């Protein structure tokens, strides 16, 4: 038992008090029992744990073969907790997962965005680029002529979503942002307005709470 | 003096068998390592590599067309081939200011010493080629008479008596000493690679490899001397001959030395939990940091082949080599009752027995590698000098005393 961790010993007020007058040598005595320090039995115990997982999964593989032979491979019990990613996706993805951005629209199809630069200012990765234009409607004042998100630089923190005063930018749960070309990973205004999330979200969940409306 | 053509033929067959077995096993073990790690960790593992297979598919406008299926992955076995292709075709970059001769020599030393170790390991029982085609089934086939006569003539000793050959590349009297000598030479690969690479990490890796090798070579040798005392020889062929009975297997005679020998061997092979020289978390890749392409591949390959060689060595010393329990040269003996078997069956059974034992021990080593965490460097040294060495010395004294008492009776 480590004397430093022993609750019966009085707690030293200062380290100097504890070490005063003698050479302090730091010791880290092992709190293993003799049986554990023999090493081999504990190694064998560890090997039996990993080995049993191995054989359990190989058994499940045999079960899968049986299901597969009857053409019902999808119904077989799975040993693996991982999935074949591009073909399969995890069914238990959370609703507040932050993924690709989407720009919301007004009823007439114009962007909700008023080009206030709040999101671009809040962005820690500096990946949002906005050029503002003057909107004919004086009540709206401004609209984004250009609204680019460099999705390869985005860190999906969701600050833009929280900063937005008019609920114009949202993070969907869609996380398929990979591409072979960097040029294609800059999403412009029209794409952000028009792309369809693969799963239509009935209710959008805001991690930071509901935004102010109106 | 005439050339012994029969001996040359048998040696050539042995050579092809050993090199083929080891090279392929080394390649397959890279896949086994990944896949077994995945299965042990509830993952799926390597399964992306495929060979495109043409399958007929319905064309959209009616009729049929050829579609290239990506489903033929063979549970990821092609990853070994893909790795080999990648390493053969990558740029072989030699960093500046290296000692080019030694830098290029090191991977070859690593590769050659590992393969040379297997030369003295008997991987099959004694074969009498003249009797290969005898047996209850094959004797009746008249078409084989010609082949049988040729075998008897070619493998006879001229006076009509049949010769027996060992399935062993080199039947050396010094046996295990050769193994220790050659595998001890393997440390030069790590030390030279580390020294010549002009890199601090490589140098540290090479130094650690040397220190670790010296520490564990002692325990490695001493841990099996007890077995040599019992068997009275260091010739691996003789040792296997004496393990005919299950009670003479090394695992029964000296079970505690099995753990020591395996631990020392894994330390020699520089694998986790003894991967100080490689030390991924502190030394990049240790002594082969500066190697690229197939030279790096040769280091990796020699490591995986060494798994198989260690498995072969442990099988030979501790698990009865090629012997199947109760199987003698003429068939199974269960007490008084005998199940006679033909010579060919016995030879095949023994080859299969050796291969199975080697595969199981390879599996066991990989199980160890993915179960145990890495040692600290002082723990490695303490284990080598303060535990393995005294235990093997004590075992040596004890075994010598018991052997003396048993022999005196």
């Amino acid at each position: 038992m480590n004397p430093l961790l022993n609750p019966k010993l009085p707690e030293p007020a200062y380290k100097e008090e504890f070490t005063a007058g003698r050479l302090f040598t730091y010791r880290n005595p092992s709190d293993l029992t003799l049986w554990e320090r023999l090493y081999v039995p504990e190694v064998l115990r560890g090997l039996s744990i990993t080995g049993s997982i191995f054989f359990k999964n190989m058994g499940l593989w045999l079960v899968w073969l049986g299901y597969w032979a009857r053409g019902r491979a999808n119904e077989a019990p799975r040993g693996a907790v991982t999935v074949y990613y591009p073909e399969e996706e995890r069914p238990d993805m959370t609703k507040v997962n932050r993924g690709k951005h989407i720009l919301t629209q007004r009823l007439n199809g114009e962007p909700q965005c008023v080009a206030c630069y709040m999101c671009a200012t809040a962005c820690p990765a500096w990946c949002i680029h906005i050029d503002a234009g003057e909107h004919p409607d004086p009540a709206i004042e401004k609209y984004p002529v250009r609204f680019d998100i460099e999705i390869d630089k985005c860190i999906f923190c969701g600050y833009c979503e929280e900063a937005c005063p008019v609920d114009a930018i949202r993070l969907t749960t869609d996380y398929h942002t990979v591409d072979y070309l960097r040029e294609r990973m800059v999403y412009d205004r029209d794409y952000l307005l028009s792309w369809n999330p693969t799963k239509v979200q009935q209710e959008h969940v805001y991690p930071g709470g509901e935004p102010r409306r109106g | 003096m005439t050339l012994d053509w029969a001996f040359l033929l048998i040696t050539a067959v042995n050579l092809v068998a050993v090199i083929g077995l080891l090279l392929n096993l080394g390649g397959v073990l890279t896949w086994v390592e990944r896949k077994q790690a995945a299965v042990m960790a509830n993952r799926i593992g390597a399964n992306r590599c495929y060979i495109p297979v043409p399958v007929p598919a319905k064309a959209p406008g009616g009729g049929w067309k050829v579609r290239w299926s990506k489903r033929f992955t063979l549970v990821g076995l092609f990853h070994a081939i893909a790795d080999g292709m990648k390493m053969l075709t990558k740029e072989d970059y030699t960093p500046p200011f290296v000692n080019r001769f030694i830098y290029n020599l090191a991977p070859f030393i690593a590769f050659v010493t590992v393969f040379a170790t297997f030369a003295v390991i008997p991987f099959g029982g004694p074969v009498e080629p003249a009797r290969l085609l005898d047996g209850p089934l094959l004797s009746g086939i008249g078409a084989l008479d010609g082949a049988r006569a040729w075998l008897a003539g070619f493998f006879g000793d001229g006076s009509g008596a049949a010769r027996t050959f060992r399935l062993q590349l080199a039947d050396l009297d010094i046996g295990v000493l050769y193994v220790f000598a050659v595998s001890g030479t393997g440390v030069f690969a790590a030390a030279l690679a580390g020294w010549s690479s002009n890199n601090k990490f490589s140098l540290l890796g090479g130094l650690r490899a040397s220190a670790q090798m010296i520490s564990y070579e002692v325990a490695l040798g001493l841990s099996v001397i007890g077995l040599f005392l019992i068997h009275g020889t260091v010739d691996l062929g003789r040792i296997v001959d004496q393990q005919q009975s299950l009670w003479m297997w090394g695992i029964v005679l000296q079970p505690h030395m099995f753990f020591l020998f395996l631990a020392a061997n894994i330390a020699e092979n520089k694998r986790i939990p003894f991967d100080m020289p490689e030390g991924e978390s502190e030394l990049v890749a240790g002594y082969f940091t500066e190697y690229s392409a197939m030279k790096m591949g040769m280091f990796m390959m020699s490591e995986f082949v060494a798994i198989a060689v260690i498995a072969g060595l442990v099988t030979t010393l501790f698990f009865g080599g090629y012997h199947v329990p109760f199987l003698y040269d003429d068939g199974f003996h269960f007490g008084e009752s005998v199940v006679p078997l033909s010579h060919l069956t016995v030879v095949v059974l023994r080859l299969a027995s050796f291969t199975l034992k080697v595969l199981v021990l390879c599996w066991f080593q990989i199980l160890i590698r993915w179960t145990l965490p890495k040692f600290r460097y002082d723990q490695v040294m303490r284990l080598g000098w303060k535990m393995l060495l005294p235990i093997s010395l004590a075992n040596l004294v004890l075994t010598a005393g018991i052997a003396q008492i048993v022999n005196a009776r």
Side-chain angles (χ1 to χ4, degrees):
Chain A
M1 186 69 196
N2 190 339
L4 290 175
L5 296 178
N6 194 338
K8 284 174 200 157
L9 289 177
E11 193 76 14
Y14 303 100
K15 204 183 167 194
E16 287 78 5
E17 191 183 312
F18 192 60
T19 61
R22 60 196 167 96
L23 186 66
F24 181 75
T25 49
Y26 177 69
R27 284 173 160 269
N28 190 7
S30 168
D31 51 0
L32 300 175
T33 61
L34 178 67
W35 178 253
E36 287 164 341
R37 268 184 288 146
L38 281 177
Y39 199 72
V40 172
E42 289 296 300
V43 166
L44 290 179
R45 201 165 67 86
L47 288 176
S48 70
I49 291 171
T50 49
S52 65
I53 294 172
F54 177 83
F55 284 115
K56 186 199 81 186
N57 283 331
M58 292 312 281
L60 279 174
W61 182 66
L62 289 180
V63 172
W64 180 87
L65 274 186
Y67 275 86
W68 179 80
R70 285 177 288 154
R72 297 196 287 145
N74 291 335
E75 303 166 27
R78 292 182 69 128
V81 293
T82 51
V83 294
Y84 291 82
Y85 163 56
E87 292 91 8
E88 294 173 11
E89 285 180 40
R90 288 182 61 152
D92 55 345
M93 188 58 75
T94 166
K95 277 196 287 188
V96 294
N97 182 56
R98 298 193 289 257
K100 263 166 87 168
H101 308 72
I102 195 166
L103 285 186
T104 53
Q105 299 175 0
R106 296 174 194 279
L107 287 177
N108 59 3
E110 287 178 357
Q112 185 99 16
C113 177
V114 292
C116 65
Y117 293 91
M118 292 271 237
C119 52
T121 311
C123 181
W126 296 354
C127 68
I128 302 179
H129 306 285
I130 306 172
D131 284 348
E134 189 176 351
H135 199 272
D137 184 351
I140 298 174
E141 288 187 10
K142 289 199 292 180
Y143 78 102
V145 180
R146 163 172 169 255
F147 194 106
D148 289 349
I149 292 181
E150 295 176 71
I151 204 73
D152 51 345
K153 287 184 188 163
C154 177
I155 58 169
F156 303 102
C157 60
Y159 284 2
C160 48
E161 189 181 21
E162 287 184 34
C164 186
V166 291
D167 191 16
I169 187 167
R170 289 178 180 180
L171 268 65
T172 61
T173 55
D174 196 319
Y175 50 88
H176 305 277
T177 57
V178 289
D179 210 316
Y180 286 106
L181 282 179
R182 264 161 202 254
E183 290 74 27
R184 284 208 293 258
M185 296 186 75
V186 179
Y187 296 161
D188 61 4
R189 192 194 74 164
D190 294 338
Y191 179 76
L192 288 168
L193 276 170
S194 62
W195 75 273
N196 278 318
T198 48
K199 284 180 218 141
V200 177
Q201 285 159 289
Q202 295 301 323
E203 42 167 342
H204 184 70
V205 182
Y206 294 89
E210 285 291 306
R212 208 147 36 94
R213 307 243 178 225
Chain B
M1 183 185 159
T2 55
L3 267 177
D4 189 352
W5 288 107
F7 180 74
L8 280 182
L9 181 65
I10 287 285
T11 309
V13 169
N14 280 350
L15 195 62
V16 170
V18 165
I19 300 283
L21 177 87
L22 285 184
L23 270 177
N24 286 311
L25 203 54
V28 169
L29 279 177
T30 60
W31 169 79
V32 171
E33 168 129 335
R34 290 168 160 192
K35 206 72 179 176
Q36 189 181 332
V39 172
M40 280 166 58
N42 287 340
R43 288 187 284 114
I44 293 167
N47 64 353
R48 286 289 139 188
C49 245
Y50 62 90
I51 285 184
V53 178
V55 288
K58 277 213 170 86
W64 294 84
K65 69 183 177 86
V66 170
R67 190 171 61 83
W68 291 93
S69 170
K70 298 180 178 178
R71 299 293 295 277
F72 185 53
T73 55
L74 217 63
V75 289
L77 258 176
F78 298 125
H79 279 267
I81 302 173
D83 278 348
M85 279 164 63
K86 181 198 79 176
M87 282 193 278
L88 280 170
T89 51
K90 265 176 89 171
E91 184 195 359
D92 188 5
Y93 179 73
T94 306
F97 307 114
V98 301
N99 187 325
R100 294 187 76 94
F101 176 70
I102 295 177
Y103 176 85
N104 289 328
L105 183 69
F108 290 92
I109 296 178
F111 208 55
V112 167
T113 49
V114 167
F115 275 88
T117 313
F118 204 84
V120 290
I121 295 177
F123 55 93
V127 177
E128 215 170 303
R131 282 174 52 209
L132 269 185
L133 295 180
D134 294 348
L137 289 174
L138 293 175
S139 305
I141 304 171
L144 290 174
D145 281 343
R148 204 172 292 128
W150 180 83
L151 278 175
F154 189 77
F155 291 104
D157 62 352
S159 62
R163 287 172 66 184
T164 307
F165 296 92
R166 233 176 229 291
L167 290 183
Q168 182 182 7
L169 211 48
D171 193 0
L172 299 180
D173 291 338
I174 53 171
V176 178
L177 300 184
Y178 168 85
V179 172
F180 292 154
V182 173
S183 67
T185 317
V187 71
F188 280 101
L192 291 180
W195 180 79
S196 65
S197 289
N198 184 35
N199 182 323
K200 294 185 187 74
F201 294 126
S202 301
L203 186 60
L204 279 171
L207 284 173
R208 285 182 175 193
S210 318
Q212 188 173 315
M213 285 282 194
I214 289 166
S215 309
Y216 281 85
E217 195 85 24
V218 184
L220 182 73
L222 283 174
S223 61
V224 281
I225 285 185
L227 280 180
F228 305 153
L229 283 173
I230 293 167
H231 292 304
T233 176
V234 289
D235 186 341
L236 284 171
R238 301 291 123 62
I239 290 176
V240 174
D241 285 347
Q242 295 183 23
Q243 297 188 55
Q244 173 81 66
S245 154
L246 199 57
W247 299 112
M248 285 299 283
W249 284 20
I251 188 77
V252 179
L253 290 173
Q254 304 230 304
H256 49 307
M257 288 300 113
F258 164 70
F259 296 107
L260 259 68
F261 189 68
L262 194 65
N265 260 316
I266 293 174
E268 289 275 297
N269 195 12
K270 305 184 279 286
R271 277 169 69 80
I272 291 175
F274 298 99
D275 74 329
M276 290 303 118
E278 205 175 311
E280 273 178 359
S281 50
E282 59 230 53
L283 294 183
V284 191
Y287 58 93
F288 59 88
T289 304
E290 293 291 346
Y291 285 85
S292 52
M294 201 55 207
K295 281 184 201 147
M296 188 278 238
M298 283 168 88
F299 277 119
M300 296 294 287
M301 196 67 187
S302 64
E303 187 184 312
F304 280 104
V305 173
I307 297 175
V309 172
I310 290 168
L313 198 60
V314 173
T315 302
T316 308
L317 288 172
F318 288 93
F319 290 93
Y322 49 76
H323 281 303
V324 184
F326 309 114
L327 180 68
Y328 288 78
D329 282 337
D330 55 346
F332 282 106
H333 288 230
F334 300 107
E336 294 302 308
S337 58
V338 177
V339 183
L341 289 172
S342 70
H343 186 56
L344 185 64
T345 320
V346 171
V347 167
V348 170
L349 269 180
R350 284 179 166 171
L351 278 174
S353 154
F354 183 82
T355 316
L356 184 71
K357 287 171 186 171
V358 164
L359 288 180
V360 168
L361 280 168
C362 289
W363 174 84
F364 187 65
Q365 286 182 63
I366 294 175
L367 187 74
I368 290 175
R369 185 248 180 276
W370 289 102
T371 300
L372 299 185
K374 187 180 159 185
F375 283 121
R376 229 186 310 133
Y377 190 69
D378 62 318
Q379 288 171 335
V380 168
M381 286 296 141
R382 201 177 64 203
L383 184 70
W385 289 108
K386 285 186 169 176
M387 293 181 73
L388 296 194
L389 182 61
I391 292 174
S392 45
L393 276 174
N395 173 66
L396 174 60
V397 173
L398 209 64
T399 313
I402 293 173
Q404 191 64 36
I405 293 166
V406 170
N407 286 345
R409 279 170 63 202

